[in-house]
Amino acid sequence: MKFMKLGSRPDTFYTAEAVRCVSSEVSSDLIIQVKESRYLLHKFPLLSKCLRLQRLCSESSETSQHQIVQLPDFPGGIEAFELCAKFCYGITITLSAYNIVAARCAAEYLQMIEDVEKGNLIYKLEVFFNSCILNGWRDSIVCLQTTKAFPLWSEDLGITSRCMEAIASKVLTHPSKVSLSHSHSRRVRDDISCDGGEIHRHRPTTSGWWAEDMAELGIDLYWRTMIAIKSAGKMPSSLIGEALQVYASRWLPNISRERNGHKQVESDSDSDSGNEVTSKHRLLLESIVSLLPAEKGVVSCSFLLKLLKAANILGASSSSKMELARRVGLQLEEARVSDLLIPSLSYSSDTLYDVDIVLIILEQFMLQGQSPPTSPPRSKLEFERRRSRSAENIDFEFQESRRSSSASHSSKLKVAKLVDGYLQEIARDVNLPLSKFIAIAETIPDFSRLVHDDLYRAIDIYLKAHPDLNKSERKRLCRILDCKKLSVEACMHAAQNEKLPLRVVVQVLFFEQARAAMAGGKVTDLPSNIKALLAAHGIDPSRPTAPLSTTTSVQAEDQWSVSGLKSPKSKLSTLRMKLDEDDLDDIDINPDGIARRSKFKAFCALPSRPKKMFSKLLSINRNTSEKN
């Protein structure tokens, strides 16, 4: 920390009966009132250096002994006035980054300029400020912090802007070339000087050396300084993102659902103070969002979702929320399920979590236009241009295109897994509408879900948490489920799930019957109606089918019971039991065993070409008799 001493005389100021005086053989003739304090001083040393006091004394009337001067709006208070008064008397004063702003504003108020006397206080302060304060890293930070007490004076004198420019220039300079005077920063500098500065230039411990020190600034000064740093165009966006995370962790509170102001009754005084704190935090958060670099991945997805949670609780502007949702959507594959559990604080909704904002995030993710790995499209002009290239170049470009597209497809697979996990969490909310649950599930394209086990688990949880769903609502919910993508364990659980619609149970039994027949090498003698329905879906039990994935992990609390479903006969008996229930209107069975059209046309209808279906049935019966 740099400091400067002015004057050589000892301090002779003292307090007597609530009045500040100075020891002197000459009687005082001037009383100066600074706010609530009175100073009994002398005209000659003060008026010889202060042009303002000269004018005020000439305008005010004199009493018999003392002339009184009022200074009610003096910047810096009594401490700054005493610095200026002691300078006039030649008493030693010490100036540093902590008091130079107050002294500079006070000297400007008293007009201690060169026209009054050469080497006056303003000149000396400017020399010290420009040559020492602005050259030191820590001094610049401290000095900028002190300008908050004198915002208008500091702006008019250019102190604030000069400090910001000095800080920005040092941030863009390697720390080995910056005069650091802070414990953390000095330790970084010593490590650089011992190990070789150029070798560790790009290490994270040195590249972001300035973030922690700058985090001490208030949000208004921090925002303007960061704008100066960004406008230079030399700072990597990743380092700016790291600095913003440091600042957010320093100033944003760990807000919980219980202490938010939206759904909590407080007293008037507590509410006023709480609203003021909330407003400050809201301004801070919105400022951080505005400073986020435009590039993707400069901050983690988890950090963005934490900001989004805070924005929801603090009632930030809709533009800030939408910007955060857009950024989260760009890198959603990095998120975790716990990150997406954003508390809902809306009066219009009683749900535990804000599902609407997650829907917006998913829409932003899908708007990226990514597609599964396919061959890149080739227009006629492109084909003519590529024809002149070598085969190696064409192959290289094709592989690069597939690699880029595969990465996009991979991200959709990760997001599908993430969404299914999120659905399992929100499904426990008894106030969650069915439409929102289905809307979340349907945002993910079909090809992204290789296995539907997690989706089925979410549906099962929702059915248990919402026992009042009617038959049509349960059918609507289960339309998002693809039984062909269920593992063996999931199929066994679904076959016994009493909450599922009959249509889903029958589908599961059909596909499980085909799988069991393929695994055993023998086709069980199925009733004709089951054969017809299998044929309607293009499934031939006489031919082996591709095995389904069984790699999906199942959590301990959601383990599925498979008792009673160990053989094809038990599955058939379960089917007959289901068909005997009250839901017989779902599937209409003829006495001859062939299913007729019902309201489930997509599942139970006969094929549009009966001849083709009958030929399949004949082939099935023929194969069965030959094997038996």
Side-chain angles (χ1 to χ4, degrees), residues 1-4 95-101 128-147 159 162-164 166-167 170 178-182 185-186 209 213 216-217:
M1 184 70 67
K2 301 290 184 181
F3 64 92
M4 177 179 68
L95 297 167
S96 67
Y98 288 99
N99 62 1
I100 189 173
V101 175
F128 176 61
F129 180 73
N130 292 322
S131 61
C132 296
I133 299 297
L134 296 182
N135 283 336
W137 167 254
R138 182 62 179 168
D139 291 324
S140 300
I141 294 285
V142 172
C143 186
L144 182 58
Q145 285 178 301
T146 59
T147 61
I159 298 174
R162 284 185 285 172
C163 286
M164 291 178 179
I167 293 172
K170 291 174 177 60
V178 178
S179 176
L180 302 175
S181 51
H182 183 263
S185 302
R186 188 188 306 117
W209 58 270
D213 292 344
E216 298 177 7
L217 297 173

Side-chain angles (χ1 to χ4, degrees), residues 75 101 104-106 108-109 122 126 129 147-164 221 224:
V101 175
R104 179 66 181 85
C105 296
E108 187 69 22
Y109 180 90
I122 290 180
E126 284 292 329
F129 180 73
T147 61
K148 193 172 183 179
F150 320 98
L152 298 179
W153 283 93
S154 300
E155 292 290 347
D156 293 339
L157 297 174
I159 298 174
T160 305
S161 59
R162 284 185 285 172
C163 286
M164 291 178 179
L221 298 175
R224 293 174 60 185

Side-chain angles (χ1 to χ4, degrees), residues 547-558:
L548 300 180
S549 173
T550 59
T551 58
T552 303
S553 60
V554 182
Q555 298 179 1
E557 63 271 17
D558 290 327

Side-chain angles (χ1 to χ4, degrees), residues 461-472:
I461 295 172
Y462 190 87
L463 289 172
K464 291 177 181 177
H466 302 78
D468 298 332
L469 291 179
N470 56 40
K471 186 189 303 182
S472 62

